Amino acid sequence: MKLVIQRVTRAAVSVNGETVGKIGGGFLVLFGAGAEDTRADCEVLARKLVNLRIFADENGKTNLSLKDVGGELLIISQFTLYADCRKGNRPNFLAAKEPREAEALYEYFCELCSNEVPMVERGIFGADMSVELVNDGPFTVIIDSLGGGIL
């Protein structure tokens, strides 16, 4: 599983010109499921995500989590995080999980996050989406998991 986490002051996602999710301050998360990923990987990464300390405390140190600051989440599915560009100029996506199974993991991941954070918005799985964000910092973190372990 791969997460690209961007700390934002606001973010929104739209499909066909209609906003389907938007947040104020928090994280915009691009979520990709790999062929070997499981629900256990979702559990590890959801816990890591909501407790990731990348917000400033009263001393300006990145010491507070999303939960600490009452931040919001916008989670967007993005299989292209598994693009393999090693051969030629056209990426392949063979390392991405099959769409039906990936959607189930995406929904499970969003559900886990909703249990920890009051505001969790999402895109529409498999849709052609337009994403807007104001990156705060900018501060971007990438987290991978393999078999329940975080790389």
Side-chain angles (χ1 to χ4, degrees):
M1 201 161 294
K2 294 183 183 186
L3 302 180
V4 175
I5 303 159
Q6 296 178 305
R7 191 177 69 188
V8 299
T9 56
R10 67 179 184 276
V13 59
S14 59
V15 176
N16 296 324
E18 180 180 331
T19 300
V20 296
K22 81 178 184 182
I23 62 167
F27 296 154
L28 168 68
V29 179
L30 304 177
F31 170 97
E36 303 299 317
D37 289 330
T38 66
R39 289 169 66 98
D41 294 310
C42 288
E43 292 161 7
V44 169
L45 287 186
R47 190 169 39 255
K48 177 63 92 173
L49 174 67
V50 300
N51 291 296
L52 191 63
R53 299 184 324 178
I54 62 172
F55 290 94
D57 65 14
E58 65 278 355
N59 298 315
K61 301 275 186 194
T62 53
N63 203 29
L64 299 176
S65 72
L66 188 70
K67 289 170 65 173
D68 293 331
V69 300
E72 302 173 345
L73 282 172
L74 175 57
I75 305 171
I76 308 292
S77 63
Q78 189 170 352
F79 77 94
T80 61
L81 294 178
Y82 279 88
D84 182 348
C85 301
R86 291 177 291 183
K87 293 183 180 177
N89 294 318
R90 183 176 181 190
N92 80 58
F93 302 99
L94 299 174
K97 195 162 209 63
E98 181 272 323
R100 189 181 77 254
E101 294 175 12
E103 183 174 13
L105 287 182
Y106 170 70
E107 293 298 331
Y108 183 59
F109 182 81
C110 291
E111 177 186 324
L112 291 169
C113 292
S114 294
N115 292 336
E116 299 292 328
V117 178
M119 173 65 118
V120 177
E121 295 279 292
R122 52 181 91 179
I124 297 176
F125 188 91
D128 185 9
M129 296 176 273
S130 296
V131 180
E132 298 177 48
L133 70 137
V134 176
N135 200 318
D136 182 21
F139 207 125
T140 302
V141 175
I142 300 170
I143 299 176
D144 278 344
S145 75
L146 290 175
I150 296 176
L151 298 177

